[in-house]
Amino acid sequence: MNAEIEKVKAEIGKFSISSSEELEKFRLEFLSKKGKVPALFVGLKDVLPEEKRKVGQAINEVKVLAQKKFDDQKALLGNNKAQGSGEMVDPTLPSKPGQVGGSHPISIVRDQMVKIFERIGFNVSHGPEIEDDWHNFTALNFPPDHPAREMQDTFFIEKDPDIALRTHTSSVQVRVMENEKPPIRTLSPGRVFRNEAISARAHCIFHQVEGLYINRGVSFVDLKQTLYHFAKEFFGENTKIRLRPSFFPFTEPSAELDVSCPFCNGKGCKICKGTGWVEIGGAGMVDPRVLRSSNIDPDEYSGFAFGMGIERITMLKYQINDIRLFFENDVRFLQQFQREI
Ligand code: FA5
């Protein structure tokens, strides 16, 4: 009898249950009326009276063992069903990798731009997004009440004294000139704000990269070569640049910077509206008044500055036709961009 009890016990241990069908098979084989455990109890009648108690106890233990295995596996299968898989869970398996986030296309392009300029000696400076009138306008030669201030519609936070969201990263230019002595060669990437209507090409929040170089003997040729170098590094070796006369209060002379259209290589297409050129920013030689207001002697030093819109450049690079996509944070859009190592 003892051998029979041990055999049934071993069979219970070995029985593998990974589905509800196998669970039912287990119940029928061991626990049902005609199963092996009730059969052991039937066999008890042939056991000598003095051994009955001990053997009865051993059979009871087998019954408890079978019932526990049945209950545990039933609960486990029930849980898995509730989770929808219907399969056994192996808690020792390593977990599935979670979804990993990526960089925003604006960050990717900003970092690419910064790297190109860092390789030719520019460092990176940052300034506050909430600016005072001096750094955003007055020190940059926008006199109070001058119509040039209307070039950049402003979100004011406080009036008198004026505190506003910066309208361009040129404000960082002023902060660097106030705190550092030439030679200065710095790049300031950052977010800017303008009280403008949102459309496919313009937003009220966007990003710029400002560049500033001040030293003895800096000329317009240096500006042109620097911008040409950037355009070729960023858009490709065959890219050309064009500087069109323009006006900014803080530079003289001033220019708009165009690059040959990266889509049609300057032949003319829908993106460049048939002109072969696309505008990516503004530039110019730092106005002597701006140098003077930051205590830099314009008789000794000269410099150039430029400012480019990161959204517009990213739109060109990835053929994106609506600036609003950058701000919607739709993962289907964002997942399409990978950092180029
Ligand atoms: C400026 O902001 C000057 N501070 C640039 C500059 C710096 C000139 C240093 C000279 C010397 P502008 O307003 O043109 O200039 O803006 C520069 C670039 O920002 C534009 O060429 C464009 O690429 C981008 N930009 C301007 N407005 C918007 C807008 N609403 N939405 C998206 N990008 C914009």
Side-chain angles (χ1 to χ4, degrees), residues 111-128:
D111 293 349
Q112 283 170 354
M113 294 174 77
V114 167
K115 269 202 189 113
I116 292 172
F117 285 105
E118 274 179 341
R119 284 201 289 268
I120 54 170
F122 282 76
N123 62 15
V124 175
S125 322
H126 296 285

Side-chain angles (χ1 to χ4, degrees), residues 152 168 170 173 194 196 201-203 206 208 210 248 250-251 279-284 305-309 312 323:
Q152 299 177 0
H168 52 177
S170 301
Q173 189 189 122
R194 290 190 195 171
E196 278 182 26
R201 268 192 66 71
H203 210 283
F206 57 100
Q208 289 186 335
E210 168 101 3
F248 296 103
F250 36 94
T251 47
E279 187 226 294
I280 60 166
F306 57 84
M308 304 186 222
R312 299 259 172 93
I323 197 170

